[in-house]
Amino acid sequence: MSELRTLGEFIVEKQHDFPHASGELSSLLASIRLAAKIVNREINKAGLVDITGATGVDNIQGEEQQKLDAYANDKFKAALEARDQVCGVASEEEDEAVAFNKELNKNAKYVVLMDPLDGSTNIDVNVSVGTIFSIYRRVSEVGTPPTEEDFLQPGNKQVAAGYVIYGSSTMLVYTTGNGVNGFTYDPSLGTFCLSHENMTIPQDGRIYSINEGNYVRFPTGVKKYIKFCQENVPEDNRPYTSRYIGSLVADFHRNLLKGGIYLYPRTESHPKGKLRLLYECNPMAFLIEQAGGIATDGNQRIMDIKPTELHQRVPLFIGSTNMVKTVHRFLEQYPDEE
Ligand code: AHM
Ligand code: MG
């Protein structure tokens, strides 16, 4: 790891990748970096102060909101609103998209979509959680409030996406469409330092990540794929291994480094899958493609799906290219009646 290259410097160094947006995107990423540090500080105190547990409020999707969910949402929103690049955000924790109305945000060109604290049910048990973000250029006219159209763009229009993983160390991993780079937080310096340059995912992997508790409710093709992993040995002669943390960010991060596949298919209780297209699937799909992998809903490329609603859910198959392709073969071979 090079302590000599900080995230801030790296962003500025790379800003020529954006001829029409040089300083703006850099400043936007700086607000995400700042909010990540604040949330990281708070997460590290979990257990010491009264910040774990539920708020007693459910979010729009009927899921119990955790105190840190609400905290992270507020901090990311505030950091983005405090600068003049973002005209509005959509968040997993907000019912509707939020338009920033301050004079400062009037001429902003970007919208941000985020899952401020992914995997938050893991906080109380000291397991890794994360923040996922996705950045788009608005399509509506600058100077007017953002519209639904700005937030419902397909993933292939993302200009940047990334995540922060609050794990055994805290990392920020992002892409602006020119590869994926990872930065590890050094708390003694208060700085993210470049630690994982130009991250790529192996084409083949050995890890499959899926909530097998839902096995009987999976589509037949997915069941067959799981059996395939259990009964076969990859060419390198080391058997497949099952790893599931239940924090998408953490499962994704491990698979990105080691090679693997993460699957969240439709189930009886979640007939469209559980994960949200805009806050979770699209940003992760952008990252995985930039790292040389693929992401689909079992049928089509995640980033080509035209969103119809903010909190839309889709099945997700994401990771090493050859593993996702193998799942597809099983899904085609064993189609279920819908
Ligand atoms: P969340 O955004 O409400 O935390 O839900 C998303 C999480 C993912 O991080 C994780 O992979 C998945 O839900 C786990 O779901 P399940 O418990 O159904 O396996
Ligand atoms: Mg989530």
Side-chain angles (χ1 to χ4, degrees):
M1 154 158 161
S2 164
E3 286 174 354
L4 300 175
R5 264 176 114 192
T6 68
L7 172 59
E9 286 163 347
F10 189 87
I11 292 170
V12 172
E13 215 176 281
K14 298 286 172 190
Q15 66 183 14
H16 62 261
D17 292 345
F18 289 91
H20 49 270
S22 41
E24 296 166 354
L25 197 64
S26 306
S27 174
L28 202 171
L29 289 167
S31 27
I32 289 176
R33 179 184 57 179
L34 175 63
K37 288 184 194 176
I38 296 171
V39 170
N40 178 58
R41 186 186 61 197
E42 211 58 22
I43 285 174
N44 280 320
K45 288 191 277 188
L48 288 175
V49 286
D50 183 28
I51 46 167
T52 56
T55 54
V57 177
D58 284 355
N59 69 14
I60 176 101
Q61 295 139 85
E63 294 156 347
E64 199 175 48
Q65 199 177 50
Q66 307 290 311
K67 285 182 200 159
L68 274 170
D69 277 331
Y71 182 87
N73 190 46
D74 289 349
K75 292 300 169 194
F76 274 92
K77 244 183 5 185
L80 293 167
E81 191 174 17
R83 302 178 190 214
D84 51 0
Q85 282 75 38
V86 178
C87 60
V89 301
S91 161
E92 194 179 301
E93 300 304 330
E94 304 274 348
D95 298 0
E96 311 277 345
V98 179
F100 294 154
N101 293 319
K102 294 211 317 278
E103 200 54 33
L104 195 65
N105 307 100
K106 261 207 171 135
N107 294 317
K109 297 195 186 87
Y110 296 94
V111 292
V112 174
L113 290 86
M114 62 179 180
D115 180 354
L117 209 59
D118 178 64
S120 50
T121 49
N122 276 327
I123 296 167
D124 292 2
V125 291
N126 222 334
V127 169
S128 300
V129 290
T131 297
I132 310 173
F133 60 90
S134 170
I135 302 170
Y136 294 83
R137 266 179 94 87
R138 64 185 301 177
V139 286
S140 60
E141 203 182 315
V142 171
T144 63
T147 64
E148 195 175 62
E149 223 193 328
D150 296 322
F151 295 99
L152 296 184
Q153 299 186 58
N156 57 33
K157 297 279 189 232
Q158 290 172 101
V159 293
Y163 60 81
V164 184
I165 176 168
Y166 311 98
S168 41
S169 61
T170 295
M171 278 189 73
L172 191 151
V173 175
Y174 82 101
T175 182
T176 52
N178 289 292
V180 180
N181 292 285
F183 301 80
T184 302
Y185 186 61
D186 182 334
S188 65
L189 297 174
T191 307
F192 284 98
C193 300
L194 181 63
S195 52
H196 296 63
E197 196 167 2
N198 203 8
M199 299 167 83
T200 53
I201 183 166
Q203 293 296 291
D204 289 291
R206 291 190 305 115
I207 300 170
Y208 67 100
S209 312
I210 186 166
N211 185 344
E212 285 192 55
N214 294 324
Y215 183 85
V216 295
R217 294 168 207 94
F218 286 148
T220 310
V222 173
K223 289 182 184 166
K224 295 280 182 192
Y225 178 70
I226 293 173
K227 285 288 158 223
F228 166 86
C229 292
Q230 292 169 345
E231 289 165 3
N232 290 276
V233 175
E235 275 172 18
D236 67 4
N237 244 348
R238 293 184 302 155
Y240 288 100
T241 183
S242 167
R243 291 282 182 272
Y244 191 72
I245 296 170
S247 279
L248 172 64
V249 170
D251 281 309
F252 178 96
H253 185 69
R254 182 205 49 239
N255 292 357
L256 172 60
L257 293 175
K258 293 184 178 279
I261 182 171
Y262 174 98
L263 312 90
Y264 209 112
R266 62 178 166 79
T267 63
E268 267 164 34
S269 58
H270 291 100
K272 293 183 175 156
K274 179 187 177 194
L275 300 177
R276 270 77 21 157
L277 173 61
L278 297 177
Y279 317 120
E280 291 161 327
C281 302
N282 271 336
M284 292 313 208
F286 191 17
L287 286 159
I288 209 75
E289 287 196 9
Q290 284 296 314
I294 49 179
T296 77
D297 66 354
N299 183 34
Q300 63 169 323
R301 182 181 179 224
I302 288 287
M303 289 208 286
D304 287 341
I305 299 173
K306 174 78 187 97
T308 52
E309 50 182 315
L310 273 184
H311 298 286
Q312 184 172 346
R313 297 174 193 260
V314 289
L316 179 65
F317 301 89
I318 188 165
S320 294
T321 301
N322 292 339
M323 296 181 88
V324 178
K325 283 186 175 164
T326 304
V327 176
H328 272 225
R329 278 204 303 278
F330 282 105
L331 291 171
E332 275 158 29
Q333 202 180 339
Y334 300 98
D336 287 322
E337 300 285 318
E338 291 281 327

